[in-house]
């Protein structure tokens, strides 16, 4: 029984790591598409990545319990990417 709890914990941790990496990549991509001669500011990219990760974490937690595993991660990932695309069009 202890092995299944450990496996669930590792699975959730890996999902959150994937969401964090995706948030960093999306944040960097968002600011790279903006035409700024100085380039994106590391602090701004980091703060947006943190906000995007927290947003995706809340979505991940509040998805229905029927949705599990890779589907839950994929839905959260899609919502995170759509949020960045919408934010890009609002900034532009």
């Amino acid at each position: 029984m202890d092995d299944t709890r450990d496996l669930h914990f590792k699975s959730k941790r890996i999902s959150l790591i994937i969401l964090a990496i995706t948030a960093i990549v999306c944040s960097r991509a968002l600011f790279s598409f903006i035409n700024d001669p100085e380039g994106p500011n590391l602090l701004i990219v980091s703060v947006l990545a943190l906000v995007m990760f927290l947003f995706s974490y809340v979505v991940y937690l509040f998805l229905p319990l029927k949705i599990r595993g890779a589907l839950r991660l994929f839905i959260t990932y899609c919502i995170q990417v759509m949020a960045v695309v919408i934010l890009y069009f609002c900034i532009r």
Side-chain angles (χ1 to χ4, degrees), residues 3-4 11 15 18 34 42 46 48 54 61-62 64 67 73 85 88 91:
D3 294 336
T4 58
S11 173
S15 296
I18 291 171
I34 296 174
L42 182 61
S46 301
L48 181 65
L54 292 176
L61 288 178
F62 287 110
I67 302 172
L73 179 64
V85 169
Y88 171 73
I91 290 174

Side-chain angles (χ1 to χ4, degrees), residues 2 4 9 12 16 20 22 24 31 33 40 51 56 58 70 72 74 80-81 85 88:
D2 192 30
T4 58
F9 179 71
K12 188 173 183 180
L16 294 178
T22 306
I24 293 168
F31 288 110
F33 288 127
V51 168
S56 62
V58 168
R72 186 180 199 127
F74 181 72
Q80 186 178 32
V81 171
V85 169
Y88 171 73

